[in-house]
């Protein structure tokens, strides 16, 4: 499955192609018993990508018990419906996004801790792309999942006051991060899964790009 990257033993990243050089990412966290998801992609993503991957790994889609949407945009939430049809999963999103997403059950705020697979992630409110954009931080594994919160050269995605976006990104610089997972291959790096020095570089570059906006 060339559309799947193995980030860690229990962390898989699906890249659903949208157009040349651009895809939409879904993170699958595989616990011993339960399976968590970060974002669900489009209407067809669960049936065409998520469930086949889980079955290929010898597991059942019905084990998906918790889903977090990083924000309200279609490429992150439209798969919720197919997840609900197949599983009993709870679907969580920041409270500022919840009204726009009828499939969401749980309203999150900054500082909440969610369990995905066998991992615990802290919710970090990171507005800028959307008012209720969030990042998920797994301190034990030094892993940060940002959705579209860090969007590099895609300045069209900074939909709020740029000062709000920049403040959110500066907050991320305080974290100890070994693996950064973004939903799309944002430039300047042009990839979704980032390790080592590139992490700080990506966040700092995104701040600089925003600061230079007129
Ligand atoms: Zn997106």
């Amino acid at each position: 499955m060339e559309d799947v990257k193995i980030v860690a033993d229990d962390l898989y990243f699906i890249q659903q192609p949208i157009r040349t050089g651009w895809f939409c990412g879904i993170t699958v966290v595989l616990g011993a018993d339960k399976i968590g998801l970060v974002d669900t992609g489009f209407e067809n993503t669960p049936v065409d990508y998520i469930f086949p991957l889980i079955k290929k790994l010898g597991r059942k889609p019905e084990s998906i018990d918790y889903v977090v949407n990083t924000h309200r945009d279609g490429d992150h939430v439209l798969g919720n419906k197919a997840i609900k049809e197949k599983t009993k999963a709870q679907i969580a999103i920041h409270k500022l996004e919840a009204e726009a997403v009828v499939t969401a059950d749980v309203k999150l705020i900054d500082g909440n801790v969610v369990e995905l697979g066998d991992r615990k992630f802290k919710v970090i409110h990171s507005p800028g792309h959307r008012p209720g954009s969030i990042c998920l931080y797994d301190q034990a594994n030094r892993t940060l999942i940002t959705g579209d919160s860090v969007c590099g050269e895609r300045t069209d995605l900074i939909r709020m006051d740029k000062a709000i976006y920049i403040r959110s990104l500066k907050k991320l610089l305080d974290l100890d991060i070994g693996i950064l997972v973004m939903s799309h291959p944002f430039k300047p790096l042009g990839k979704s899964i980032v390790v080592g020095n590139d992490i700080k570089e990506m966040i700092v570059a995104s701040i600089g790009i925003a600061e230079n906006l007129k």
Side-chain angles (χ1 to χ4, degrees), residues 22-24 39 70-71 73 75-76 129 147-148 157 183-184 186:
W22 193 252
F23 57 76
C24 169
D39 291 329
T70 56
H71 60 288
D73 287 340
D75 56 329
H76 301 258
H129 172 51
D148 294 352
L157 296 182
S183 289
H184 308 283
F186 292 115

Side-chain angles (χ1 to χ4, degrees), residues 32-193:
D33 300 314
K34 50 193 193 165
I35 299 171
L37 300 177
V38 182
D39 291 329
T40 57
F42 299 96
E43 287 93 341
N44 72 318
T45 307
V47 168
D48 289 349
Y49 291 88
I50 301 173
F51 301 157
L53 169 66
I54 289 172
K55 285 178 192 161
K56 199 179 173 200
L57 295 167
R59 304 288 297 276
K60 292 193 171 75
E62 290 80 0
S63 301
I64 299 171
D65 74 323
Y66 207 85
V67 174
V68 176
N69 296 138
T70 56
H71 60 288
R72 76 184 73 166
D73 287 340
D75 56 329
H76 301 258
V77 306
L78 288 174
N80 288 358
K81 191 164 170 279
I83 297 290
K84 290 215 154 205
E85 283 164 7
K86 182 92 175 164
T87 77
K88 295 188 170 69
Q90 292 247 286
I91 298 182
I93 193 165
H94 191 274
K95 66 170 187 181
L96 295 176
E97 305 289 290
E99 209 172 298
V101 181
V102 292
T103 42
D105 311 295
V106 181
K107 293 179 185 174
L108 300 170
I109 57 166
D110 186 74
N112 281 162
V113 174
V114 295
E115 274 186 42
L116 295 168
D118 297 332
R119 296 185 180 216
K120 285 186 166 63
F121 290 85
K122 192 170 151 190
V123 173
I124 299 172
H125 185 209
S126 50
H129 172 51
R130 288 293 191 190
S133 280
I134 55 170
C135 297
L136 295 175
Y137 181 52
D138 167 12
Q139 190 169 19
N141 294 290
R142 300 174 64 233
T143 302
L144 182 73
I145 301 172
T146 54
D148 294 352
S149 292
V150 177
C151 60
E153 294 178 5
R154 281 294 304 272
T155 52
D156 58 308
L157 296 182
I158 305 172
R159 298 203 177 104
M160 301 178 70
D161 188 312
K162 70 174 187 177
I164 295 171
Y165 172 80
I166 291 168
R167 198 184 312 139
S168 293
L169 266 52
K170 285 188 173 166
K171 205 163 67 168
L172 300 180
L173 286 175
D174 295 335
L175 302 173
D176 175 26
I177 312 167
I179 301 175
L180 171 69
V181 180
M182 301 179 286
S183 289
H184 308 283
F186 292 115
K187 290 177 178 173
L189 291 182
K191 54 187 175 182
S192 263
I193 298 161

Side-chain angles (χ1 to χ4, degrees), residues 3-15:
D3 294 329
V4 177
K5 295 268 181 281
I6 304 172
V7 183
D9 287 346
D10 66 333
L11 204 79
Y12 289 73
F13 186 72
I14 296 168
Q15 303 182 165

